[in-house]
Amino acid sequence: MNIAAKSDTADASVVSHKITMVEAVNLALARAMQEDENVVVLGEDVGVNGGVFRATVNLREEFGLKRVMDTPLAETLIAGMAIGMAAQGIRPVAEIQFMGFIYATMEQIVSHASRMRNRTRGRLSCPMVLRAPFGGGIHAPEHHSESTETLFAHIPGLRVVIPSSPRRAYGLLLAAIRNDDPVVFLEPKRIYRASSQDVTDDGQALPLDTCFTLREGTDITLVSWGAMIQETLQAADQLLEQDISAEVIDVASISPLDMATIRTSVAKTGRCCIVHEAARTHGVGAEIAAELSESSLFDLKAPVSRVTGYDTVMPYYRNEMHYMPTVERICEAATILMEEGL
Amino acid sequence: MNIAAKSDTADASVVSHKITMVEAVNLALARAMQEDENVVVLGEDVGVNGGVFRATVNLREEFGLKRVMDTPLAETLIAGMAIGMAAQGIRPVAEIQFMGFIYATMEQIVSHASRMRNRTRGRLSCPMVLRAPFGGGIHAPEHHSESTETLFAHIPGLRVVIPSSPRRAYGLLLAAIRNDDPVVFLEPKRIYRASSQDVTDDGQALPLDTCFTLREGTDITLVSWGAMIQETLQAADQLLEQDISAEVIDVASISPLDMATIRTSVAKTGRCCIVHEAARTHGVGAEIAAELSESSLFDLKAPVSRVTGYDTVMPYYRNEMHYMPTVERICEAATILMEEGL
Amino acid sequence: MMQKTFDFFIPYNRFMNEQGKLEQALPEWSRDQERLIEAYETMVLIRNFDQKVVALQRTGKMGTYPSILGQEAIGVAVGQTMRKDDVLIPYYRDLPAQYLRGVRLVETLLYWGGDERGSQYQHCPEDFPNCVPISTQMCHAAGVATAFKIRGEKRAAVVTCGDGATSKGDFLESLNVAGVWQLPMVIVVNNNQWAISTPRKVQSAGQTIAQKAIGAGIEGIQVDGNDYFAISDAVQHALEKAHAGKGATLIEAISYRLGDHTTADDATRYRSKEDLKAGWEKEPIQRLRHYLLSQNLWSESQEKELQNKSTKIIETAVSDYLNTPPEPPESMFDHLFADMPAPLIEQRIDVKSLAGPGGTQQGSH
Amino acid sequence: MMQKTFDFFIPYNRFMNEQGKLEQALPEWSRDQERLIEAYETMVLIRNFDQKVVALQRTGKMGTYPSILGQEAIGVAVGQTMRKDDVLIPYYRDLPAQYLRGVRLVETLLYWGGDERGSQYQHCPEDFPNCVPISTQMCHAAGVATAFKIRGEKRAAVVTCGDGATSKGDFLESLNVAGVWQLPMVIVVNNNQWAISTPRKVQSAGQTIAQKAIGAGIEGIQVDGNDYFAISDAVQHALEKAHAGKGATLIEAISYRLGDHTTADDATRYRSKEDLKAGWEKEPIQRLRHYLLSQNLWSESQEKELQNKSTKIIETAVSDYLNTPPEPPESMFDHLFADMPAPLIEQRIDVKSLAGPGGTQQGSH
Ligand SMILES: Cc1ncc(C[n+]2csc(CCOP(=O)(O)OP(=O)(O)O)c2C)c(N)n1
Ligand SMILES: Cc1ncc(C[n+]2csc(CCOP(=O)(O)OP(=O)(O)O)c2C)c(N)n1
Ligand SMILES: [Mg+2]
Ligand SMILES: [Mg+2]
């Protein structure tokens, strides 16, 4: 390839486009598949249909049947096959249509994907990504609103990654695919098309070992991830009107957890409120709060608080908005923390 | 039945015997099956073999083939059938041979058992018990040492119960079977036969909504459950030699969690150390610590600390003892807390 | 090179072809004219209702809904043939069977309209609710059948699923136990050729789905699921067998999904016009109508009356649905446990106070 | 009442009866005398080794171990027939196959002796480790076979499991995809009649296990798994087919578990003496020995030499095992991720300091 052609390509690749999060997922998949012929996509309806959310649209046309595989309807198999492929050096990106149908993969993910490297002392490994749309708020039928990221975050040997914007979806998914270990990649479907962002298709991955500080602040640290980042940022706006300066952290890589960034922020602000959609008890917020209470107790001017989903099943859609944390609940919790201080 | 006969029966039933925990499980099963013909047992090798740990021994002989069912080798099926039976008014007690093989039940347990009552607005329910031996320390092969109680404790609509002595095994299992909702009943196999205790076969259940305070103390609260109660009690002994008076709480009902008892204790002692075998991150200890740090922050004289398994796979048996919390680690953590105080 | 063989077969059956012409003599039970009329009337009612639900969704008054267009014969056969005390364990595309069993149309509307009371079934207390996680209901059916067996009751568990569902472990584990335990279980597969965008041939290399029964040692039958007589006859046979303690039957009913997978789907992305057209030529209602007309069991005036009656029934159900206020938000806690645990009581208070006095009005269709 | 049928069959095959007498002419490949001798020698070595491992367990020098007593022919057939670049995805009772593929006996000892390095296989880098969660390996095999297919490689994934395993969803989902995708996959079921205490008839009502292939649309074969010729021939056929891109084969090899399920089991609780005795009469080693002797391919002096050689090989492996110190405790973190995340670095320091300088010595057999 001559230099002119090369720079052509380079030029082409740095053009940026305003795209939604689900388009960013699609873009990252296409990029990863162009870069590495070992990257393949499999799952239910990922082929001609391009996935029920269109995350894999056009991939079959571009990369062919052998790299974009419609599977029979069997989640255990999808996860288990991905493990087998990964041990063979393929980099499978397996889609589970909704997180509500991910539970059948758990034996394969817990007992094999997360352990393959460890139990063979590095001889075999499992560079697979298990993608699933998750979370509520889209008026879907039952079982389509799950936020059970804790189940995977508790499993040693797995990474759990959750983007909250088109750019982070692009960069984190590329990182997940290139990572040599299994990654559960959960996509907050409520914000799949909520807004667009300029994304540069430059193949730049984002790090999987760090939280993203989305907004700096001095009075309180708001920690969240996924779709709830929206409400959290809005809450930060509202709090500012009350002269409360909130730092907003997107955890993004839920596991392993980058507590350092959170701790540093709390050392500065002295207050922390964690926001997540998952049920409160044993939500990822519990670990963050526990860690802070152990390591930052003397930095804290008020108890760490959590604004979360309730310990019940997400109601069907007529009532689902009553389940999910709202801007109001976040602001209220933050205001209480500001009042409590030591 | 005449009074004499009645009191005969009563007499017979109040005799107490020194038995091990696994014998207590067996005794409770037999008792529940005698009392209620809807109680049935199913699982792999629960029949003639009496279970690989002998927890169901003699039940087939006493209650027959229809109530003690050897299933084909299929955990998803075992859980799913139990749900079907339970909706029909049967009270199935399903055994999963080891917790390491429980993951295939998760779709059935998360998506159905825990929701049947809720999604039918009380029309159908799921009074089933899913029993499984769990935990490490018995020199077993891989996948036989799991402590992943968090995965179930995070699921709304489930109860998760863990006994730590023969008497609690008897009383809690009876309660679990009589309870009208699904219960995951995890039996710490390391202490199945560790010691014996006088157990009275009086049909008395223990409550599922309360922690058990095993020892009173004034300086520090040690919170644990399952096999780790042994090390925790030993640690309390050793601490006493250093003039540290430790209160020991057996959580027992991991979910829903009785925080009230723990909070009251910490209000008194001002210090808390949580001990569990499960991996640290998102272990049940995280929730307890988070709750205390939120609701009891001003009672705490030192940060809540956790002594737990590590965030890695339990090593095969040559090294498993290096994974599990020891009396030494507990004492060290407690001593540090005592020194830290405010 | 082989010493012996084990031989197996799967029968295929139908009575009536695409034009409503008989290909073989009808079974005895088909002399029951009322049954035939009920079948036809139900199919028509359900088709009209189904199209109404789709319309409600298009106008924002309904959630995602899986139309049963073109597959009405199967459910009607199941619903008519089951005894009241049998238990139906449906999947999510079983409207006609549920309707005939007593599930009210308003309940169906509430369910898909995002209200849990839609599964509270006033008239069939033991039937299972719709099952969304594919194939999981198969294991429940095995459990229900086991309960009958334990209690020595002559009842059957009837479970349905789609062609896609037959690839999932639950399906196969359940068939297997049905064989080993000789369970009173009837498994009806609505093979509508598609699992969302995935065609039947991507699900299995077997010539039939019914042959999955062979591995489990139970009877497998394939029928034309658009032939009301064939599917009814198969279900009746399977139920009689189940009631007589003679074990389980897998029935593969060949149909065609004439609609999108659900209202969230757009089948033109993956399905050709020709394929769909061929599907329409096989649909079950016209066929039965032709037959009934040919036998003078049905007339144009009856047809008109039926359409009117259907419209009224549907309108009533829809207005009942639209007039049902949502449950109060705090109801999300009320049916989780038989006895509400303390932590939930606190959370319930939270939700109630957040929703405020108007909280119960906030929910919408 | 049926219009047509779909017909299926499962062949059964064996060449040699329980006494080592031929029942039909042997296949061409059996003229390879070295292969037959290797097979016999391996079976004997493995049997001796297997019994040695059981003895080590009894004296506290070994963890729970699943003896392969009486089922040696299957693994030998698999191990001999596979090409080096095929991949074996074993369950936990595949010692002979693994041995022939290059897994060292000391690795086997380390694995069952509680040391992860037992799965680090020096000589067969792509083979999978033992699989304990039943049937989960079936899906891995489908994935491995898919990888071959994606890359256009003429290699096969060979996966094994027990009779109990065939009831689990993973097994059936994997067979199914092997059919749909025409995967280069060979599935060998060691039907040793027991799954711990659960007899074969409680697993399935099918006359054979091989017939589960029918539902998946792949070839199913039942053979006498104690007849070295029959099982080898079946595996060879299946591998040739896989290498030629002609899809998957399910082989049911009928054997008998002569030992306890594992050293933690006591089969006398659930199994009659007569049953066991009948099992002994069918075991594979005597049979092949009779045959070899009858063909003058084997002698008493060779037998003696073999026993001596085996003893030496085994003694060396055992002493290597007993002399392998455990890994340092902190190694529990070293292979979890390619790059160790920060929180694990801290925990690793903890473990290392707790174990102290003598920490690495604490582990024991
Ligand atoms: C376990 C599970 N996986 C995936 C889905 C998403 N999903 C809903 S319907 C469907 C296709 C089902 O096809 P089929 O079984 O043929 O039934 P049909 O809808 O055609 O009647 C899928 C994949 C689900 N509901 N459950
Ligand atoms: C998923 C799972 N469930 C249960 C077990 C416990 N278990 C170990 S071996 C075994 C029986 C397996 O029988 P079979 O498949 O016939 O193989 P065999 O041991 O007879 O060779 C069981 C139930 C397991 N290892 N994995
Ligand atoms: Mg379908
Ligand atoms: Mg077996």
Side-chain angles (χ1 to χ4, degrees):
Chain A
M1 200 198 299
N2 65 33
I3 291 164
K6 218 172 176 176
S7 66
D8 272 7
T9 321
D11 277 348
S13 73
V14 295
V15 168
S16 75
H17 291 283
K18 255 196 150 30
I19 57 175
T20 62
M21 178 186 287
V22 70
E23 288 165 343
V25 166
N26 184 255
L27 195 65
L29 288 171
R31 180 85 192 199
M33 294 181 83
Q34 278 150 13
E35 282 177 3
D36 182 352
E37 64 173 11
N38 286 313
V39 176
V40 306
V41 161
L42 70 158
E44 294 157 10
D45 307 296
V46 297
V48 179
N49 198 35
V52 296
F53 287 103
R54 310 285 173 257
T56 57
V57 84
N58 291 333
L59 298 180
R60 165 162 291 185
E61 289 74 358
E62 189 173 347
F63 301 102
L65 276 163
K66 281 196 170 177
R67 294 181 64 196
V68 183
M69 294 170 270
D70 275 331
T71 62
L73 206 169
E75 281 76 11
T76 305
L77 177 74
I78 291 170
M81 276 202 301
I83 293 166
M85 289 181 202
Q88 267 294 316
I90 299 286
R91 290 182 174 265
V93 184
E95 176 175 302
I96 299 299
Q97 209 160 73
F98 287 87
M99 192 179 199
F101 313 126
I102 210 167
Y103 306 116
T105 72
M106 290 209 68
E107 176 160 46
Q108 289 289 349
I109 298 299
V110 174
S111 300
H112 290 295
S114 70
R115 301 184 190 198
M116 191 56 86
R117 180 186 296 280
N118 184 64
R119 62 200 285 262
T120 61
R121 284 299 184 252
R123 183 171 63 82
L124 298 176
S125 62
C126 191
M128 68 178 271
V129 177
L130 194 71
R131 291 181 45 242
F134 87 119
I138 63 158
H139 276 201
E142 60 176 335
H143 302 289
H144 289 71
S145 304
E146 315 281 304
S147 293
T148 39
E149 61 268 24
T150 300
L151 304 192
F152 294 98
H154 185 46
I155 303 303
L158 283 184
R159 291 179 187 275
V160 181
V161 177
I162 300 178
S164 70
S165 74
R167 252 181 246 155
R168 280 189 295 284
Y170 177 83
L172 291 171
L173 183 52
L174 276 182
I177 296 172
R178 292 178 194 158
N179 190 274
D180 288 330
D181 292 307
V183 180
V184 176
F185 194 85
L186 300 174
E187 300 165 8
K189 60 179 176 293
R190 180 159 64 93
I191 56 170
Y192 255 163
R193 299 188 171 83
S195 64
S196 296
Q197 203 178 28
D198 264 327
V199 177
T200 310
D201 185 16
D202 56 4
Q204 290 286 322
L206 287 167
L208 296 182
D209 57 359
T210 175
C211 303
F212 296 93
T213 303
L214 302 187
R215 181 180 304 204
E216 310 229 330
T218 50
D219 297 328
I220 183 170
T221 304
L222 304 178
V223 176
S224 191
W225 53 91
M228 275 300 145
I229 287 291
Q230 295 221 94
E231 280 72 20
T232 306
L233 286 170
Q234 287 166 32
D237 283 342
Q238 288 198 16
L239 289 168
L240 206 56
E241 290 168 21
Q242 301 166 48
D243 268 341
I244 301 171
S245 156
E247 181 141 313
V248 177
I249 293 181
D250 176 5
V251 177
S253 289
I254 301 301
S255 181
L257 196 56
D258 164 30
M259 279 305 300
T261 302
I262 301 173
R263 257 187 231 123
T264 308
S265 172
V266 172
K268 176 174 71 175
T269 62
R271 292 176 172 85
C272 182
C273 173
I274 303 159
V275 183
H276 62 67
E277 188 176 314
R280 175 182 177 87
T281 298
H282 306 302
V284 169
E287 179 63 35
I288 299 174
E291 265 291 308
L292 284 176
S293 96
E294 183 160 4
S295 63
S296 308
L297 184 65
F298 303 105
D299 288 328
L300 285 169
K301 299 181 193 144
V304 177
S305 88
R306 291 183 278 163
V307 178
T308 68
Y310 299 103
D311 289 328
T312 187
V313 181
M314 167 86 73
Y316 295 1
Y317 82 74
R318 275 179 150 196
N319 274 329
E320 67 179 337
M321 71 292 222
H322 293 289
Y323 179 89
M324 292 198 290
T326 56
V327 176
E328 290 63 41
R329 281 174 64 199
I330 303 168
C331 288
E332 194 191 313
T335 317
I336 293 175
L337 288 190
M338 292 309 297
E339 285 160 5
E340 271 192 27
L342 284 174
Chain B
M1 200 199 301
N2 66 29
I3 291 163
K6 217 171 176 179
S7 67
D8 271 7
T9 321
D11 276 347
S13 75
V14 296
V15 167
S16 76
H17 292 283
K18 255 195 149 30
I19 58 175
T20 61
M21 177 186 288
V22 70
E23 288 165 343
V25 166
N26 185 255
L27 196 66
L29 287 170
R31 180 83 191 199
M33 293 180 84
Q34 278 149 15
E35 282 178 1
D36 181 352
E37 63 174 13
N38 287 314
V39 177
V40 306
V41 162
L42 70 157
E44 295 157 11
D45 307 294
V46 297
V48 180
N49 197 36
V52 295
F53 286 103
R54 309 285 172 259
T56 58
V57 84
N58 290 333
L59 297 180
R60 166 163 288 186
E61 289 75 357
E62 190 172 345
F63 302 101
L65 276 163
K66 281 197 171 175
R67 292 181 65 197
V68 184
M69 294 170 271
D70 275 330
T71 63
L73 205 168
E75 281 76 11
T76 305
L77 177 75
I78 292 171
M81 278 201 299
I83 293 166
M85 291 182 202
Q88 268 294 315
I90 299 286
R91 290 182 175 265
V93 184
E95 176 175 302
I96 300 298
Q97 208 160 72
F98 288 87
M99 191 178 198
F101 312 127
I102 211 168
Y103 305 116
T105 72
M106 290 208 68
E107 175 159 47
Q108 289 288 348
I109 298 299
V110 174
S111 300
H112 290 295
S114 69
R115 303 185 187 196
M116 191 57 86
R117 180 186 297 280
N118 184 64
R119 61 201 285 262
T120 61
R121 283 302 184 249
R123 184 172 61 84
L124 297 176
S125 62
C126 191
M128 67 177 273
V129 178
L130 193 71
R131 291 180 45 241
F134 88 118
I138 65 157
H139 275 200
E142 59 175 335
H143 303 288
H144 288 72
S145 303
E146 314 281 305
S147 292
T148 38
E149 61 269 25
T150 299
L151 305 193
F152 295 98
H154 184 48
I155 303 301
L158 283 185
R159 290 179 187 275
V160 181
V161 178
I162 299 177
S164 69
S165 73
R167 249 181 247 156
R168 280 189 294 282
Y170 177 84
L172 291 171
L173 183 52
L174 276 182
I177 296 172
R178 290 177 195 160
N179 190 276
D180 288 330
D181 292 306
V183 180
V184 175
F185 193 85
L186 300 173
E187 300 165 7
K189 60 180 177 294
R190 179 158 65 92
I191 57 170
Y192 256 161
R193 299 188 170 83
S195 64
S196 296
Q197 203 177 28
D198 265 328
V199 177
T200 311
D201 185 16
D202 55 5
Q204 290 285 322
L206 287 168
L208 295 183
D209 57 359
T210 174
C211 303
F212 297 93
T213 303
L214 303 187
R215 181 180 303 202
E216 310 228 329
T218 50
D219 297 328
I220 183 168
T221 304
L222 303 179
V223 176
S224 190
W225 53 91
M228 276 298 145
I229 287 292
Q230 297 222 85
E231 280 72 19
T232 306
L233 286 170
Q234 287 166 33
D237 283 342
Q238 287 197 17
L239 289 168
L240 205 56
E241 289 169 21
Q242 302 167 47
D243 267 342
I244 301 172
S245 156
E247 182 141 312
V248 176
I249 293 180
D250 176 4
V251 176
S253 288
I254 300 300
S255 179
L257 196 55
D258 164 29
M259 279 305 299
T261 302
I262 300 173
R263 258 187 229 123
T264 309
S265 173
V266 172
K268 174 174 71 174
T269 61
R271 292 177 173 88
C272 181
C273 173
I274 304 157
V275 182
H276 62 67
E277 189 176 312
R280 175 182 178 87
T281 298
H282 307 300
V284 169
E287 180 63 35
I288 300 174
E291 266 292 306
L292 285 176
S293 95
E294 183 160 3
S295 63
S296 307
L297 184 66
F298 303 104
D299 288 328
L300 284 170
K301 297 181 192 142
V304 177
S305 89
R306 291 182 278 163
V307 177
T308 69
Y310 299 102
D311 289 327
T312 187
V313 181
M314 167 85 74
Y316 294 1
Y317 80 75
R318 274 179 149 196
N319 274 329
E320 67 178 336
M321 70 293 220
H322 292 289
Y323 180 89
M324 292 198 289
T326 55
V327 177
E328 289 64 41
R329 281 175 62 198
I330 303 168
C331 288
E332 195 191 312
T335 317
I336 292 174
L337 289 189
M338 292 309 297
E339 286 162 4
E340 270 192 26
L342 285 174
Chain C
M1 283 252 291
M2 65 182 84
Q3 284 201 326
K4 65 175 175 189
T5 67
F6 300 90
D7 296 304
F8 308 95
F9 75 95
I10 295 294
Y12 168 87
N13 198 27
R14 83 166 170 187
F15 292 95
M16 180 169 70
N17 72 8
E18 282 83 353
Q19 288 73 44
K21 297 258 153 62
L22 295 188
E23 295 183 336
Q24 57 171 320
L26 288 180
E28 204 40 38
W29 61 260
S30 69
R31 302 224 181 130
D32 179 349
Q33 301 186 356
E34 272 173 44
R35 178 166 168 175
L36 307 195
I37 301 289
E38 182 196 57
Y40 180 73
E41 293 192 341
T42 307
M43 289 205 263
V44 169
L45 169 68
I46 291 298
R47 181 164 297 179
N48 292 351
F49 176 74
D50 183 86
Q51 294 308 293
K52 179 69 188 175
V53 190
V54 173
L56 285 171
Q57 196 281 334
R58 303 275 181 245
T59 55
K61 297 200 175 91
M62 175 52 59
T64 304
Y65 170 75
S67 162
I68 196 169
L69 188 65
Q71 303 141 76
E72 297 87 353
I74 300 168
V76 166
V78 167
Q80 279 193 324
T81 318
M82 284 177 71
R83 287 200 210 139
K84 188 72 195 156
D85 73 343
D86 293 331
V87 168
L88 178 66
I89 300 100
Y91 77 125
Y92 49 77
R93 214 186 288 280
D94 277 305
L95 189 43
Q98 291 177 307
Y99 176 74
L100 287 169
R101 302 264 315 145
V103 173
R104 297 175 302 148
L105 295 180
V106 66
E107 289 169 334
T108 299
L109 290 165
L110 283 167
Y111 177 80
W112 296 110
D115 191 316
E116 284 83 352
R117 287 169 298 182
S119 299
Q120 218 177 9
Y121 306 163
Q122 299 300 314
H123 303 315
C124 35
E126 294 183 69
D127 281 4
F128 274 54
N130 292 317
C131 184
V132 168
I134 303 286
S135 258
T136 51
Q137 77 278 13
M138 302 295 306
C139 304
H140 307 161
V144 169
T146 303
F148 296 156
K149 192 147 188 173
I150 291 171
R151 295 192 295 243
E153 295 168 349
K154 292 202 185 316
R155 301 164 69 188
V158 180
V159 62
T160 61
C161 67
D163 44 321
T166 66
S167 299
K168 194 158 172 273
D170 311 50
F171 179 84
L172 299 152
E173 293 185 357
S174 303
L175 280 198
N176 188 54
V177 78
V180 181
W181 290 2
Q182 264 221 316
L183 295 177
M185 196 170 156
V186 178
I187 302 114
V188 180
V189 177
N190 171 359
N191 175 1
N192 64 10
Q193 315 303 325
W194 296 95
I196 310 187
S197 73
T198 310
R200 158 67 180 80
K201 71 173 190 303
V202 171
Q203 293 300 338
S204 169
Q207 292 165 273
T208 70
I209 281 174
Q211 73 204 54
K212 300 204 180 206
I214 294 172
I218 66 172
E219 185 184 5
I221 305 171
Q222 191 187 59
V223 298
D224 183 337
N226 286 336
D227 170 4
Y228 164 73
F229 296 109
I231 174 68
S232 291
D233 201 56
V235 175
Q236 187 150 321
H237 158 75
L239 275 170
E240 279 165 13
K241 210 175 101 184
H243 293 143
K246 292 191 174 145
T249 313
L250 169 62
I251 300 168
E252 174 188 1
I254 296 183
S255 71
Y256 192 87
R257 196 194 78 205
L258 291 172
D260 293 331
H261 169 67
T262 65
T263 50
D265 178 49
D266 171 9
T268 63
R269 293 181 60 84
Y270 52 78
R271 179 162 80 170
S272 72
K273 277 187 195 152
E274 296 70 49
D275 205 76
L276 181 60
K277 188 153 168 273
W280 271 106
E281 277 155 21
K282 295 177 186 159
E283 71 86 31
I285 295 188
Q286 284 311 315
R287 239 195 254 204
L288 184 56
R289 188 157 178 265
H290 282 311
Y291 174 78
L292 293 177
L293 288 169
S294 77
Q295 304 293 307
N296 290 321
L297 294 171
W298 192 249
S299 67
E300 284 309 323
S301 70
Q302 277 173 296
E303 181 74 29
K304 209 162 175 184
E305 202 179 309
L306 170 61
Q307 294 294 350
N308 289 338
K309 197 173 70 181
S310 298
T311 307
K312 254 179 239 145
I313 294 173
I314 293 166
E315 275 172 5
T316 310
V318 170
S319 95
D320 286 354
Y321 159 65
L322 294 173
N323 291 322
T324 307
E327 289 188 287
E330 65 274 18
S331 70
M332 69 173 85
F333 299 102
D334 293 348
H335 303 279
L336 199 63
F337 291 100
D339 304 303
M340 199 178 301
L344 287 193
I345 297 175
E346 289 169 42
Q347 295 190 5
R348 188 178 188 282
I349 293 169
D350 244 44
V351 169
K352 197 170 173 174
S353 67
L354 275 171
T360 58
Q361 255 63 268
Q362 281 189 35
S364 72
H365 291 289
Chain D
M1 283 253 291
M2 64 183 83
Q3 286 202 323
K4 64 175 177 189
T5 66
F6 300 89
D7 296 302
F8 308 94
F9 75 95
I10 294 293
Y12 169 87
N13 197 26
R14 85 166 169 186
F15 292 95
M16 179 169 71
N17 74 7
E18 282 83 353
Q19 288 75 43
K21 295 258 153 63
L22 296 187
E23 295 183 337
Q24 56 171 320
L26 287 180
E28 203 44 37
W29 61 261
S30 69
R31 303 220 181 132
D32 180 350
Q33 300 187 357
E34 273 174 44
R35 178 166 168 175
L36 307 194
I37 301 289
E38 183 196 60
Y40 180 72
E41 292 193 341
T42 307
M43 289 205 261
V44 169
L45 168 68
I46 291 299
R47 183 165 294 181
N48 292 351
F49 176 75
D50 182 87
Q51 294 309 292
K52 178 67 187 176
V53 190
V54 173
L56 285 171
Q57 195 281 336
R58 302 277 182 243
T59 54
K61 296 199 177 91
M62 176 53 60
T64 305
Y65 170 76
S67 161
I68 194 167
L69 188 65
Q71 303 141 76
E72 297 88 352
I74 300 168
V76 166
V78 167
Q80 278 193 325
T81 317
M82 284 176 72
R83 286 200 211 140
K84 187 71 195 155
D85 73 343
D86 293 331
V87 167
L88 179 66
I89 300 100
Y91 77 124
Y92 49 77
R93 214 185 286 283
D94 278 306
L95 190 41
Q98 292 176 308
Y99 176 75
L100 286 169
R101 303 264 315 147
V103 174
R104 296 174 304 147
L105 296 180
V106 65
E107 288 169 335
T108 298
L109 291 165
L110 283 167
Y111 177 80
W112 297 108
D115 190 318
E116 284 84 350
R117 287 168 299 180
S119 298
Q120 218 178 8
Y121 306 163
Q122 300 301 315
H123 303 315
C124 35
E126 294 183 68
D127 281 5
F128 273 54
N130 292 318
C131 184
V132 167
I134 301 288
S135 259
T136 51
Q137 77 278 12
M138 301 296 306
C139 305
H140 307 162
V144 169
T146 302
F148 296 157
K149 193 146 186 172
I150 291 172
R151 294 191 297 240
E153 296 168 348
K154 291 201 186 317
R155 301 164 69 186
V158 180
V159 62
T160 62
C161 68
D163 45 322
T166 66
S167 299
K168 195 160 173 272
D170 311 49
F171 179 84
L172 298 153
E173 293 185 355
S174 303
L175 279 198
N176 188 54
V177 78
V180 182
W181 291 2
Q182 262 223 317
L183 294 178
M185 198 169 153
V186 177
I187 303 113
V188 180
V189 177
N190 172 359
N191 176 359
N192 65 10
Q193 312 304 325
W194 295 95
I196 309 187
S197 73
T198 310
R200 158 66 180 81
K201 71 173 188 304
V202 172
Q203 293 300 339
S204 169
Q207 293 165 272
T208 69
I209 281 175
Q211 74 204 54
K212 301 204 179 204
I214 294 172
I218 66 172
E219 185 184 5
I221 306 172
Q222 190 187 59
V223 298
D224 183 338
N226 286 335
D227 170 4
Y228 164 74
F229 296 110
I231 174 68
S232 292
D233 201 55
V235 175
Q236 188 151 321
H237 159 73
L239 274 170
E240 280 165 12
K241 210 175 102 185
H243 292 142
K246 293 189 174 149
T249 313
L250 169 62
I251 300 168
E252 174 188 3
I254 297 182
S255 72
Y256 192 88
R257 195 195 76 204
L258 292 173
D260 293 331
H261 169 68
T262 65
T263 50
D265 177 50
D266 172 9
T268 63
R269 292 180 62 84
Y270 52 78
R271 176 162 83 171
S272 73
K273 274 187 198 151
E274 296 70 50
D275 206 77
L276 182 58
K277 191 155 163 269
W280 271 106
E281 278 155 19
K282 294 178 186 157
E283 70 87 32
I285 296 188
Q286 284 311 313
R287 235 195 256 204
L288 184 56
R289 189 159 178 262
H290 282 311
Y291 174 77
L292 293 177
L293 288 170
S294 76
Q295 304 293 308
N296 290 321
L297 294 172
W298 193 250
S299 67
E300 285 307 325
S301 71
Q302 278 173 295
E303 182 75 29
K304 209 161 174 183
E305 204 181 307
L306 171 62
Q307 295 293 350
N308 289 338
K309 197 173 70 181
S310 299
T311 308
K312 253 178 240 146
I313 293 172
I314 293 165
E315 275 173 4
T316 309
V318 170
S319 95
D320 286 353
Y321 160 64
L322 294 173
N323 291 321
T324 306
E327 288 189 286
E330 66 273 18
S331 70
M332 69 173 84
F333 298 102
D334 293 348
H335 303 279
L336 198 62
F337 291 100
D339 303 303
M340 199 179 298
L344 287 193
I345 296 176
E346 288 169 42
Q347 294 191 6
R348 189 178 188 280
I349 293 170
D350 244 43
V351 170
K352 197 169 173 176
S353 69
L354 275 170
T360 60
Q361 254 65 268
Q362 280 189 35
S364 72
H365 291 290

